[in-house]
Amino acid sequence: MAPADGSPAADPVVKPSSNSTEEAIATNGSAKAGNGRAQNGNGTATSAATYVGSLCQLSAPLPTKVALVNADQLLESPEEEAECESMEQAVLSALSALPKDIDRYMYLRATRQADEELFFRLLMDHTEEILPYIYTPTVGEACQRYHELGIAPDGIYLTPADKGRFLELLRAARPHSGIRAIVVTDGERILGLGDQGAGGMGISEGKILLYTAMAGLDPRRALPVMLDVGTNNEKLLADPGYKGLRQKRLRGPEYDELVDELMTAARSLKPHMLLQFEDFGNCNAFRLLERYQHTQCCFNDDIQARRASRSRGCSPRSA
């Protein structure tokens, strides 16, 4: 219920409850805003927890289901705080027991599905420890294998078939909290791996987590977006399990119209919405930045952050 002064009601936050992990994943592990992309080859939804459960016996179980409460009800006692710290350590121990970094990536996704509060506590309290598993270098392999890992995306896919509905889809993705920042990719130049098609969603999701870890941005107000216009990666096109748009990349005016609709939709939601272009191919990255940077709050860190690093005498990181 909204307060009497007309201001928006407090956004829900998450708090552990006693329900089972299986219930948690059933509730939270579906593709919340992925246009049905988080499916296996048989067309049934899968989750990070399913993947993790097939790996090995872990040193700690997945967290329990969360219960939504209002922010003004979240008053933690010292006992509750100690319990949360204990759960964080249990997850860290479980991560160390896993054999591969991609397994740790999937375990952390499953942790987020089961208990978002715990996940973001980990992100803020143990940033240096888990960042390599949720972003570079591990996210590169996640993008390459995105369609086979059974990942339920946190963001949304926008395709040529969605033309005319971008604003509607953005609104539906974060209906209760409102979007303040978007990271969008078209998957054409993912890290140093080249065209990863729809798997590029992983890079948008990972970069959004940096906004929370480094700048404290509320993750409910941030949205990863994958502009799926096809792929020129022949291996993906030939893969029957690939879930992206199975065609060569859209180019020319039709491509530009989709990008323009996205930019217009972002301005409609919030005039000063921050939009980051992430890992676009060179044929589009420079010209899109030039087209929109003077009229919209947007940037491309592959271009601008590297220049800023060089101007300060720093070695640019892999973006």
Side-chain angles (χ1 to χ4, degrees):
M1 179 178 295
D5 62 4
S7 60
D11 288 330
V13 294
V14 290
K15 197 170 178 62
S17 75
S18 59
N19 299 64
S20 68
T21 297
E22 289 75 12
E23 258 187 276
I25 300 305
T27 302
N28 299 315
S30 60
K32 292 177 286 187
N35 292 352
R37 296 295 177 81
Q39 296 182 342
N40 62 24
N42 297 322
T44 57
T46 60
S47 71
T50 304
Y51 175 95
V52 171
S54 67
L55 288 173
C56 58
Q57 293 295 319
L58 303 177
S59 59
L62 285 171
T64 55
K65 184 183 177 182
V66 300
L68 290 178
V69 297
N70 287 328
D72 57 4
Q73 296 174 311
L74 188 61
L75 301 173
E76 290 181 348
S77 67
E79 292 78 13
E80 289 175 320
E81 183 69 26
E83 181 182 359
C84 288
E85 291 177 1
S86 175
M87 292 174 71
E88 288 181 45
Q89 290 302 319
V91 173
L92 292 173
S93 295
L95 288 176
S96 67
L98 292 169
K100 300 177 182 178
D101 285 352
I102 191 65
D103 302 332
R104 299 181 180 98
Y105 173 90
M106 294 299 293
Y107 186 86
L108 287 166
R109 290 194 74 113
T111 298
R112 182 178 180 181
Q113 289 175 352
D115 189 333
E116 282 194 312
E117 184 185 6
L118 174 60
F119 173 82
F120 284 106
R121 277 178 174 272
L122 280 165
L123 181 62
M124 304 305 289
D125 295 345
H126 302 276
T127 307
E128 291 187 19
E129 293 169 77
I130 71 169
L131 208 57
Y133 309 132
I134 62 174
Y135 197 57
T136 55
T138 312
V139 73
E141 182 178 353
C143 289
Q144 290 178 301
R145 300 177 58 193
Y146 203 89
H147 63 283
E148 69 180 70
L149 290 173
I151 293 174
D154 180 57
I156 63 170
Y157 289 84
L158 299 175
T159 73
D162 299 314
K163 187 176 180 182
R165 299 181 57 235
F166 282 13
L167 179 58
E168 172 191 347
L169 293 170
L170 291 180
R171 281 178 173 156
R174 296 287 188 268
H176 302 299
S177 56
I179 306 169
R180 296 294 180 269
I182 288 173
V183 174
V184 59
T185 186
D186 68 358
E188 186 168 13
R189 195 200 64 82
I190 299 299
L191 302 171
L193 303 172
D195 189 342
Q196 298 304 314
M201 173 61 83
I203 204 70
S204 289
E205 292 173 324
K207 187 57 66 76
I208 282 289
L209 290 175
L210 297 189
Y211 278 54
T212 298
M214 306 303 179
L217 178 66
D218 185 340
R220 295 164 298 189
R221 298 185 181 276
L223 182 66
V225 173
M226 171 67 212
L227 186 63
D228 186 2
V229 295
T231 179
N232 292 340
N233 185 325
E234 295 293 344
K235 183 178 179 180
L236 291 177
L237 291 173
D239 185 345
Y242 178 60
K243 300 181 179 59
L245 189 60
R246 199 179 295 274
Q247 66 175 45
K248 291 289 187 178
R249 283 189 169 273
L250 198 65
R251 302 289 191 193
E254 292 178 280
Y255 176 91
D256 290 347
E257 288 171 8
L258 294 178
V259 175
D260 197 59
E261 182 176 346
L262 172 61
M263 303 302 282
T264 301
R267 288 197 306 272
S268 297
L269 285 175
K270 187 175 178 61
H272 299 291
M273 170 93 68
L274 172 64
L275 188 143
Q276 177 182 341
F277 294 109
E278 177 71 13
D279 286 354
F280 280 70
N282 288 342
C283 63
N284 289 315
F286 288 90
R287 67 185 190 85
L288 291 179
L289 181 61
E290 178 61 29
R291 176 178 299 179
Y292 295 106
Q293 67 178 340
H294 302 296
T295 58
Q296 197 151 346
C297 182
C298 64
F299 76 105
N300 184 316
D301 77 338
D302 299 302
I303 299 170
Q304 292 164 298
R306 290 170 184 272
R307 289 176 178 173
S309 297
R310 291 190 181 99
S311 70
R312 296 184 62 184
C314 303
S315 298
R317 62 170 174 78
S318 174

